[in-house]
Amino acid sequence: MDRRKLSLGLTAAVLLVGTALAGCSGGNGGAATPSDAAESGKGAAASGQTPADAGDASSGKTIKLEIIEGGNNLPSPDQDIIKQELDKALNLDLNLTVYASGDDYKNQLNVRMASGNFPDLFSVDRQQLIEFSKQGLLLDLTPYMDKLQQVETFIGEDSLKKGMVDGKVYAISKSPQIPYNTYFIRKDWLDKLQLQVPTTIEELKAVSVAFANNDPDGNGKKDTFGLTGGKLGGAFAPVFGAHGVANPGQFYVKDGKVVNSLYDPAMKDALAFIKSMIDTGSVDPELLANTALQHQEKAIKGQAGIIYIDWPNLTKEQFVEQIATVNPDAEWIQIVAPAGPGGQYDGAWDIGATPGRYAIPKALEKDPVKLQRVFDLLNYISDPEGGSMLVQFGVEGTHYTLDGGKVVMTDKAGDVGYSWLYQFTGRPEMEYLQAKFAKQAAFIEFANDQPRIQALNGFIDLPEGFVAADADRYIEEELAKFAYGKRDLAEYDDFLKTLETTMNYKALVDAAVQQLNALGYGN
């Protein structure tokens, strides 16, 4: 199925169901159906009324909905302003339960699904989505998409694909996030050494060498290095991008075909360049050992002058204060992705990834009134004129105000800091972040504007018999050997052969190409 076919298929389903509903509407004696109520709710929202104000939500009957997901910091119901506002707007009694531990949530969900004690809405990962749908436990939402039009508009067609199994929609995936990472560089060190901001990977290497050898902090000691980051992929993503290749193991479309980066001839060139940088001695010698935020700590302490990192971990207030305390003269700036022989990409961005998926149990189709109320909730929080602003920012006039259409958070915004728990369909990421992090708005926009290779891994289901953890470990170990000169790049083809035969990687590649082709990516 290509992308156009997918769209046409969904549209056809919408039209068929819509026609059927229209044909039935004259035979109900004028009684309001749940679908009528939803339509009434849309009109009410557009006019500034809540659905409850308009007499919507099934003739005043309060419906209890139970939702479970992973999360934390949810207040008690009497302190939960978002719940109270949603209850009031949609005539609900929401019972949201969150589990701080991912394992705990997974166990709880598995037990409930196995026992038939289904929540009305619940988050699932991709593997759970596949397993539960094949067991017949999830509601196929494809025939109901006419009742979820606001959701579909809000999350977009690509997000809809992320909730599909065998061409059917079994979960609503959240709207996409945006990339955060870029290279940051010490401008004060550049100025001290009379260097320019690097614009190519060769210039990046030259600056890294200068930072390691020319005493940029002026303390008379050779105690600095150039580049730091987390692992090879974390430190050199823009270098891979400059060669036109995504990080190791990522799939993308190149010259009209789906390729895996390990099989892209440019991968060997990228590894050769990375080796040349490491050979200069200017790269953090603990690069491969860095975990969590150890590379950030080194940057803040003034041990490194270039770092590939997300904007929050260097520009949020607490880190700005730390930097000012340790190195008052430090000035970190973002730089555009350095150019190379394969272009200028700030690494890759997986457009198949999603921040979350929510499914509805098949059993709920036996209770159409409650099912419609779940649809009403999902549509309402996806509606910019309805509850989308509520679950993003809280109550207007209390937690935020509008200044010429721009959201301005108030000093009470922290009271609803947990509102993300109710963002079951996601949020408009750029607008949301720029409102929540107004002081970091320029950094957010800069990171988002960098060109990226569009990776597709999030769309891929792993074939049976392929153990991703084993393959990933082998890939990381062997590529580190190539980058650090422990294994000659002339043996790269032998590395691929072992990967295919011992790690069953060929099965993954074949399955990925087939699945991505079916979604319309590549030939």
Side-chain angles (χ1 to χ4, degrees):
M1 180 189 300
D2 63 25
R3 301 178 73 181
R4 184 170 175 272
K5 287 178 179 176
L6 170 68
S7 177
L8 291 175
L10 289 172
T11 303
V14 167
L15 290 174
L16 284 171
V17 177
T19 301
L21 288 175
C24 295
S25 63
N28 64 0
T33 66
S35 183
D36 296 333
E39 290 303 314
S40 175
K42 289 180 183 177
S47 66
Q49 291 178 286
T50 67
D53 292 337
D56 188 20
S58 297
S59 305
K61 181 181 179 183
T62 299
I63 298 291
K64 291 185 177 181
L65 291 186
E66 185 187 14
I67 305 172
I68 65 171
E69 62 180 348
N72 50 49
N73 296 327
L74 181 70
S76 60
D78 63 316
Q79 300 295 317
D80 187 343
I81 299 165
I82 305 298
K83 166 192 158 54
Q84 294 165 9
E85 291 295 322
L86 289 174
D87 284 351
K88 184 169 60 177
L90 297 167
N91 203 3
L92 294 171
D93 180 9
L94 275 180
N95 178 12
L96 174 63
T97 302
V98 301
Y99 297 85
S101 163
D103 288 341
D104 191 17
Y105 173 72
K106 187 174 183 177
N107 292 335
Q108 290 285 344
L109 180 60
N110 286 339
V111 169
R112 294 192 60 168
M113 297 302 283
S115 64
N117 181 20
F118 307 114
D120 301 310
L121 184 70
F122 48 93
S123 65
V124 288
D125 61 26
R126 181 68 191 173
Q127 195 59 38
Q128 291 168 324
L129 176 66
I130 295 171
E131 291 175 4
F132 292 153
S133 62
K134 290 188 181 301
Q135 292 170 16
L137 299 177
L138 302 185
L139 182 65
D140 174 10
L141 297 172
T142 314
Y144 294 93
M145 291 312 297
D146 68 314
K147 297 186 176 183
L148 290 164
Q149 288 182 352
Q150 185 62 51
V151 172
E152 185 175 353
T153 299
F154 185 72
I155 67 174
E157 183 180 306
D158 279 339
S159 292
L160 210 58
K161 295 178 186 176
K162 301 169 191 174
M164 286 184 169
V165 178
D166 295 335
K168 296 179 179 179
V169 180
Y170 282 102
I172 298 298
S173 296
K174 289 186 174 185
S175 55
Q177 294 182 310
I178 59 176
Y180 285 19
N181 283 52
T182 60
Y183 273 141
F184 281 78
I185 196 167
R186 284 283 295 268
K187 184 176 183 302
D188 55 307
W189 284 11
L190 288 173
D191 293 344
K192 182 175 177 57
L193 301 181
Q194 298 184 323
L195 298 170
Q196 300 298 312
V197 172
T199 59
T200 67
I201 54 174
E202 291 291 349
E203 292 176 2
L204 180 78
K205 182 165 70 173
V207 167
S208 181
V209 172
F211 282 177
N213 297 320
N214 298 347
D215 192 22
D217 58 359
N219 66 358
K221 302 178 182 177
K222 193 174 185 303
D223 58 356
T224 57
F225 43 81
L227 175 68
T228 189
K231 313 290 183 184
L232 285 183
F236 293 105
V239 174
F240 286 114
H243 287 83
V245 62
N247 272 4
Q250 291 186 308
F251 289 85
Y252 47 100
V253 175
K254 192 170 189 176
D255 298 329
K257 295 185 177 179
V258 171
V259 298
N260 177 289
S261 63
L262 296 174
Y263 294 82
D264 189 329
M267 175 58 76
K268 288 171 65 175
D269 297 333
L271 289 171
F273 183 84
I274 290 169
K275 180 179 181 300
S276 75
M277 278 194 73
I278 292 173
D279 286 346
T280 66
S282 68
V283 176
D284 179 2
E286 298 173 333
L287 187 77
L288 299 181
N290 284 338
T291 57
L293 289 175
Q294 286 180 311
H295 55 306
Q296 178 229 36
E297 295 169 6
K298 293 173 181 176
I300 290 176
K301 289 178 180 176
Q303 296 174 333
I306 309 169
I307 184 172
Y308 189 67
I309 197 168
D310 56 296
W311 58 263
N313 279 310
L314 214 55
T315 67
K316 288 179 74 172
E317 285 84 346
Q318 65 265 40
F319 301 123
V320 171
E321 291 174 4
Q322 285 186 33
I323 292 169
T325 301
V326 178
N327 290 294
D329 296 330
E331 181 183 0
W332 287 98
I333 61 170
Q334 288 167 299
I335 66 171
V336 299
Q344 190 174 13
Y345 299 100
D346 212 330
W349 177 250
D350 189 351
I351 62 170
T354 176
R357 301 178 181 84
Y358 287 84
I360 298 170
K362 181 174 175 56
L364 204 58
E365 67 183 350
K366 296 178 181 176
D367 188 343
V369 173
K370 178 179 277 192
L371 177 60
Q372 181 60 50
R373 207 64 69 86
V374 176
F375 293 159
D376 291 344
L377 171 64
L378 295 175
N379 281 320
Y380 186 64
I381 61 171
S382 304
D383 186 353
E385 302 297 324
S388 178
M389 297 292 279
L390 171 69
V391 298
Q392 289 183 71
F393 306 114
V395 178
E396 184 179 359
T398 302
H399 306 110
Y400 75 95
T401 60
L402 290 176
D403 181 6
K406 181 180 178 182
V407 173
V408 179
M409 308 307 297
T410 71
D411 57 3
K412 294 186 177 180
D415 294 347
V416 289
Y418 63 91
S419 68
W420 62 275
L421 294 167
Y422 288 93
Q423 294 167 5
F424 307 123
T425 57
R427 60 204 186 198
E429 195 71 2
M430 175 62 79
E431 295 85 348
Y432 176 82
L433 291 175
Q434 291 202 316
K436 288 277 187 173
F437 304 98
K439 292 182 179 179
Q440 290 78 29
F443 298 109
I444 299 167
E445 188 169 358
F446 188 98
N448 184 56
D449 287 348
Q450 296 307 300
R452 317 266 175 175
I453 295 172
Q454 289 193 340
L456 305 167
N457 290 52
F459 290 119
I460 301 167
D461 295 328
L462 302 182
E464 290 187 13
F466 174 72
V467 182
D470 292 346
D472 290 347
R473 188 182 311 109
Y474 179 70
I475 291 168
E476 183 177 340
E477 291 173 352
E478 297 308 303
L479 294 194
K481 291 177 183 176
F482 290 129
Y484 281 83
K486 305 296 184 185
R487 187 175 183 183
D488 196 304
L489 268 171
E491 298 179 15
Y492 189 84
D493 289 345
D494 293 334
F495 151 70
L496 287 181
K497 186 175 181 181
T498 301
L499 188 63
E500 289 179 354
T501 55
T502 306
M503 304 294 163
N504 205 22
Y505 204 72
K506 190 174 186 308
L508 169 67
V509 174
D510 290 346
V513 171
Q514 183 179 17
Q515 291 173 36
L516 293 173
N517 284 168
L519 288 173
Y521 297 106
N523 294 328

